[in-house]
């Protein structure tokens, strides 16, 4: 984040902790007021009109790649400009205490921990009822086909989702908030949402996304690179031990980033986490059970607190440099 006077640094650090409290107490705002929902509506509108049906897809389509890149850049620019304007107005016109409150409410929709934790634990609760109920609940979290997953695979997928989205939904937005303020967090959430909606290799919902979504996928890879590795470190801090071999395990996944928090979680829990036919992390580990899901959620909560503490320190260091 650009350096601020000390009183603004105090306000921004307070805003971060207040935003976490809002997340804990209130959860997500209504969809009609949620900026990430607005981002998704823009991305969905563009994608549904430009991504080609599978039958019309080309093996190489540079114009479609450029159109996807342009659509991404226009959306990211609009998000960044609006967020920068909101932040500038708050900093200029509000006293420090009001800045903290207003910034907290502006920042909160750009990350989500309570919802992620609740959804993952709901998968385990549903599995206690039946395998079909667990599959239905998991389908709310992941894009993969869940119909043929076993109970073990459903639980593994839920734990993987918690680890991966700990980065995407919390660590990375706060990382970019510390570096670039509200615009940084907002643009990251746009990039991550674009990757989730456009960044597919091949077909989804009857359309081919390979070339149209390639820019979105690579942009998210770039912006998530360092936060994903920090997430693995934060999970190690939460468990108070280092997951030996995490780098090697992380390389087993196709993604350059998501493997880091997932591999860290697998090694720390001592369980096997796998996506059938794609990868297996800590392949010699034992099958995950309900207690492992609970432990993963506890470590995730500790990692959230560690993230906020480190972010606060970084904000204060920036204020010291300014002074």
């Amino acid at each position: 984040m650009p350096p601020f006077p000390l009183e603004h640094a105090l306000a921004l650090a307070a805003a971060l902790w207040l935003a976490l409290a809002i997340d804990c107490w209130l959860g997500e705002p209504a969809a009609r007021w949620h900026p990430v929902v607005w981002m998704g509506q823009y991305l969905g509108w563009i994608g549904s009109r430009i991504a080609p049906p599978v039958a019309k897809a080309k093996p190489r389509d540079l114009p479609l790649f450029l159109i996807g890149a342009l659509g991404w850049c226009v959306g990211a620019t609009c998000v960044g400009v609006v967020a920068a304007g909101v932040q500038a107005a708050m900093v200029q016109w509000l006293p420090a205490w009001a800045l903290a409150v207003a910034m907290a409410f502006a920042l909160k929709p750009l990350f989500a921990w309570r919802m992620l934790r609740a959804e993952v634990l709901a998968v385990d609760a549903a599995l206690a009822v039946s395998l079909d109920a667990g599959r239905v609940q998991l389908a709310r979290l992941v894009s993969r086909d869940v119909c043929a997953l076993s109970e073990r695979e459903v639980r593994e997928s839920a734990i993987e989702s918690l680890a991966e989205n700990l980065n995407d939904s919390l660590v990375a937005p706060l990382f970019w908030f510390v570096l670039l303020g509200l615009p940084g967090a907002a643009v990251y959430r746009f990039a991550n949402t674009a990757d989730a909606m456009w960044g597919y290799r091949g077909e989804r919902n009857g359309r081919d996304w390979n070339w149209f979504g390639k820019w979105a996928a690579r942009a998210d890879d770039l912006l998530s690179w360092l936060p994903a590795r920090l997430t693995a470190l934060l999970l190690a801090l939460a468990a108070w031990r280092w997951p030996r071999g995490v780098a090697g395990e992380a390389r087993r996944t196709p993604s350059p980033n998501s493997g880091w928090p997932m591999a860290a979680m697998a090694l720390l829990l001592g369980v096997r986490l796998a996506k059938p036919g794609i990868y297996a992390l800590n392949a010699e580990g034992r099958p995950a059970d309900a207690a492992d899901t609970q432990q993963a959620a506890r470590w995730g909560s500790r990692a959230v607190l560690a993230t906020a503490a480190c972010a606060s320190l970084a904000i204060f260091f920036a204020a010291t440099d300014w002074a």
Side-chain angles (χ1 to χ4, degrees):
M1 177 178 288
F4 280 102
L6 183 57
E7 67 172 350
H8 283 167
L10 288 169
L12 292 172
L16 193 154
W17 287 97
L18 181 55
L20 287 173
I22 294 169
D23 180 65
C24 178
W25 296 335
L26 302 178
E28 299 304 302
R32 65 181 179 275
W33 304 115
H34 206 305
V36 179
V37 173
W38 302 340
M39 296 174 198
Q41 290 171 344
Y42 166 81
L43 292 162
W45 185 83
I46 296 290
S48 65
R49 285 159 176 76
I50 300 179
V54 173
K56 296 183 179 180
K58 300 176 182 178
R60 185 177 180 84
D61 198 332
L62 183 58
L64 189 61
F65 168 76
L66 294 175
I67 292 171
L70 177 62
W72 188 98
C73 290
V74 168
T77 300
C78 291
V79 166
V81 168
V82 170
V86 169
Q87 177 174 283
M90 289 190 294
V91 169
Q92 181 174 359
W93 298 107
L94 297 179
W97 68 267
L99 172 62
V101 175
M103 185 68 78
F105 278 97
L107 176 61
K108 162 59 203 93
L110 303 177
F111 71 85
W113 169 243
R114 170 179 156 171
M115 182 176 69
L116 172 62
R117 181 180 181 276
E119 291 288 335
V120 169
L121 293 178
V123 173
D124 218 58
L127 279 174
V129 176
S130 71
L131 175 56
D132 284 340
R135 289 169 175 166
V136 170
Q137 188 65 38
L138 179 65
R140 293 164 54 94
L141 273 172
V142 300
S143 59
R144 73 184 71 170
D145 183 6
V146 302
C147 295
L149 296 183
S150 66
E151 179 177 340
R152 173 182 58 81
E153 289 168 338
V154 168
R155 184 169 284 115
E156 287 178 3
S157 298
I159 294 173
E160 286 178 341
S161 184
L162 186 143
E164 179 180 4
N165 286 293
L166 177 63
N167 173 66
D168 295 348
S169 297
L170 186 120
V171 175
L174 295 187
F175 172 86
W176 288 106
F177 175 71
V178 170
L179 284 184
L180 298 174
L182 196 63
V187 170
Y188 174 80
R189 287 301 285 157
F190 176 85
N192 187 247
T193 305
D195 179 53
M197 297 183 69
W198 291 1
Y200 292 94
R201 295 179 180 178
E203 183 272 339
R204 183 173 182 261
N205 295 333
R207 294 183 178 272
D208 185 276
W209 300 89
N210 193 45
W211 283 95
F212 177 72
K214 193 177 290 291
W215 176 281
R218 296 298 173 264
D220 181 71
D221 287 345
L222 178 63
L223 295 176
S224 297
W225 193 91
L226 185 54
R229 286 146 182 83
L230 290 175
T231 303
L233 176 60
L234 290 162
L235 285 170
L237 287 173
W240 207 242
R241 66 179 186 275
W242 180 250
R244 295 182 61 184
V246 65
E249 292 294 324
R251 286 193 290 269
R252 299 182 187 277
T253 65
S255 168
N257 298 318
S258 63
W260 282 83
M262 292 192 302
M265 187 67 81
L267 292 166
L268 290 168
L269 289 172
V271 302
R272 179 182 186 271
L273 298 179
K275 186 174 184 179
I278 307 297
Y279 60 79
L281 303 174
N282 193 27
E284 302 303 317
R286 59 179 173 79
D289 58 27
D292 293 310
T293 307
Q294 297 291 331
Q295 184 63 70
R298 283 192 292 271
W299 283 341
S301 294
R302 293 178 192 172
V304 170
L305 294 177
T307 301
C310 293
S312 298
L313 288 173
I315 291 170
F316 286 128
F317 279 131
T320 303
D321 290 342
W322 187 90

